């Protein structure tokens, strides 16, 4: 089943065309990594997919439900009630954690399921504690974000996204704010989610990780998908920009 579909996505900021014509599909249980140089449009694509940014043109649908369709060359979005419903299909983990500083770890994880999904507190608390245990953080439930390392904060952010039971989990450079040691902790968690067949879209600059975890990889360059395929197809591609990009990383 197709969980996410985007067609002919275009997005400009003033005179700058950031996304020029992007189409992609993500199937149930699939891990898609998006790689490419800075400024290639990766994060903007993710922000369009998660409705944080409005597309100028493009179709967007989750599990067959249309969030936006192209009408006369422009994106027309569904009514806000429908969009709210569609938003329940995905979770997003940011590069800078975005935790509520004045909430405990447990409250950070419980807040949205209780207030947005209106689920019973006792049930949410039980699930939140289970998620924290999965992240190796059950002993940190009463801590506040400032008392945690960056890697621990990012694992709380992942638990918080999972607490909403999303169908698709998006990661925007989940390790770019972390030092190498802490990066490993977070990548381990993402890998375990992949093993459980969680559908994920990951914007990352960790090439080995993208190679090992992904079912498919998209290499973006200048607002377009330059290369797309299995990790082997993409990383062994003869595409000039892909080779240049990998060459720069290896120096």
């Amino acid at each position: 089943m197709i969980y996410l579909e985007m067609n002919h996505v275009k997005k400009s900021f003033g005179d700058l065309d950031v996304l020029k014509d992007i189409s992609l599909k993500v199937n149930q249980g699939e891990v898609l990594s998006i790689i490419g140089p800075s400024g290639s449009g990766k994060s903007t694509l993710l922000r369009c997919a998660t409705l944080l940014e409005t597309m100028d043109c493009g179709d967007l649908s989750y599990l067959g439900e249309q969030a936006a369709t192209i009408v006369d060359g422009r994106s027309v979005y569904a009514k806000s009630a429908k969009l709210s419903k569609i938003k329940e299909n995905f979770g997003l983990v940011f590069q800078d954690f975005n935790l509520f500083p004045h909430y405990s770890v447990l409250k950070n994880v419980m807040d949205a399921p209780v207030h947005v999904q209106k689920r019973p507190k006792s049930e949410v608390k039980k699930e939140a504690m289970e998620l924290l245990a999965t992240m190796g953080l059950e002993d940190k439930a009463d801590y506040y974000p400032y008392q945690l390392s960056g890697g621990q904060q990012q694992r709380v952010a992942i638990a918080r996204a999972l607490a909403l039971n999303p169908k698709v989990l998006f990661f925007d450079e989940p390790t770019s704010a972390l030092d190498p040691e802490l990066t490993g902790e977070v990548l381990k968690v993402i890998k375990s989610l992949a093993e459980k067949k969680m559908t994920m879209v990951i914007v990352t600059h960790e090439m080995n990780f993208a190679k090992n975890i992904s079912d498919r990889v998209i290499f973006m360059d200048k607002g377009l998908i330059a290369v797309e395929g299995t990790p082997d197809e993409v990383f062994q591609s003869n595409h000039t920009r892909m080779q240049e990009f990998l060459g720069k990383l290896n120096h």
Side-chain angles (χ1 to χ4, degrees), residues 10 14 26 34 46 51 54 82 112 123 147 149 168 180 183 203 218 242 244:
K10 294 176 186 170
V26 183
I34 303 174
L46 217 59
L51 300 167
T54 311
K82 186 176 181 185
E123 175 191 305
Q147 297 172 297
S149 72
V168 186
T183 292
V203 168
I218 281 175
M242 184 72 203
E244 281 173 13

Side-chain angles (χ1 to χ4, degrees), residues 26-68:
V26 183
N27 294 312
Q28 181 176 359
E30 191 172 36
V31 177
L32 172 70
S33 287
I34 303 174
I35 60 171
S38 293
S40 57
K42 306 183 300 293
S43 289
T44 302
L45 179 62
L46 217 59
R47 290 177 67 82
C48 287
T50 53
L51 300 167
L52 291 171
E53 206 69 74
T54 311
M55 303 177 292
D56 297 331
C57 175
D59 281 331
L60 169 63
S61 66
Y62 282 91
L63 284 78
E65 287 288 318
Q66 291 285 149

Side-chain angles (χ1 to χ4, degrees), residues 2 45 66 156 176 246:
I2 298 170
L45 179 62
Q66 291 285 149
V156 173
S176 66
L246 291 176

Side-chain angles (χ1 to χ4, degrees), residues 5-224:
E5 185 166 4
M6 302 177 83
N7 291 309
H8 305 300
V9 176
K10 294 176 186 170
K11 177 69 184 171
S12 303
F13 296 103
D15 295 335
L16 183 65
D17 296 335
V18 181
L19 300 175
K20 292 175 185 166
D21 186 0
I22 302 269
S23 296
L24 61 86
K25 283 180 188 157
V26 183
N27 294 312
Q28 181 176 359
E30 191 172 36
V31 177
L32 172 70
S33 287
I34 303 174
I35 60 171
S38 293
S40 57
K42 306 183 300 293
S43 289
T44 302
L45 179 62
L46 217 59
R47 290 177 67 82
C48 287
T50 53
L51 300 167
L52 291 171
E53 206 69 74
T54 311
M55 303 177 292
D56 297 331
C57 175
D59 281 331
L60 169 63
S61 66
Y62 282 91
L63 284 78
E65 287 288 318
Q66 291 285 149
T69 41
I70 302 173
V71 179
D72 297 331
R74 310 281 304 163
S75 284
V76 175
Y77 281 81
K79 299 273 190 293
S80 62
K82 186 176 181 185
L83 289 180
S84 297
K85 200 94 192 92
I86 286 172
K87 281 178 185 170
E88 291 178 12
N89 287 311
F90 60 80
L92 176 58
V93 178
F94 299 91
Q95 54 186 327
D96 49 7
F97 328 133
N98 277 20
L99 298 173
F100 296 119
H102 54 293
Y103 284 0
S104 69
V105 163
L106 182 61
K107 193 165 182 208
N108 261 290
V109 177
M110 287 179 62
D111 188 60
V114 170
H115 292 111
V116 179
Q117 294 181 332
K118 307 279 187 263
R119 288 168 53 204
K121 223 172 183 168
S122 55
E123 175 191 305
V124 171
K125 184 175 180 179
K126 183 173 172 285
E127 278 183 26
M129 288 306 291
E130 284 167 7
L131 279 169
L132 290 174
T134 312
M135 301 292 155
L137 294 169
E138 63 270 53
D139 56 337
K140 301 279 191 271
D142 297 328
Y143 282 51
Y144 285 82
Y146 76 90
Q147 297 172 297
L148 304 177
S149 72
Q152 289 170 330
Q153 288 189 55
Q154 191 58 298
R155 282 183 281 154
V156 173
I158 295 171
R160 181 180 64 177
L162 287 170
L164 290 161
N165 292 317
K167 298 277 197 289
V168 186
L169 198 49
F170 290 92
F171 292 89
D172 188 8
E173 299 275 13
T175 57
S176 66
L178 305 175
D179 64 39
E181 203 172 313
L182 300 177
T183 292
E185 300 175 4
V186 173
L187 296 182
K188 202 165 126 196
V189 167
I190 299 174
K191 191 168 187 288
S192 72
L193 292 173
E195 284 160 5
K196 291 177 189 153
K197 289 289 175 219
M198 178 81 203
T199 309
M200 293 186 279
V201 178
I202 307 169
V203 168
T204 183
H205 60 283
E206 300 282 341
M207 292 304 124
N208 281 333
F209 178 66
K211 204 181 283 186
N212 295 330
I213 194 178
S214 311
D215 297 298
R216 275 187 313 121
V217 177
I218 281 175
F219 170 68
M220 284 181 68
D221 185 41
K222 299 187 176 119
L224 291 164

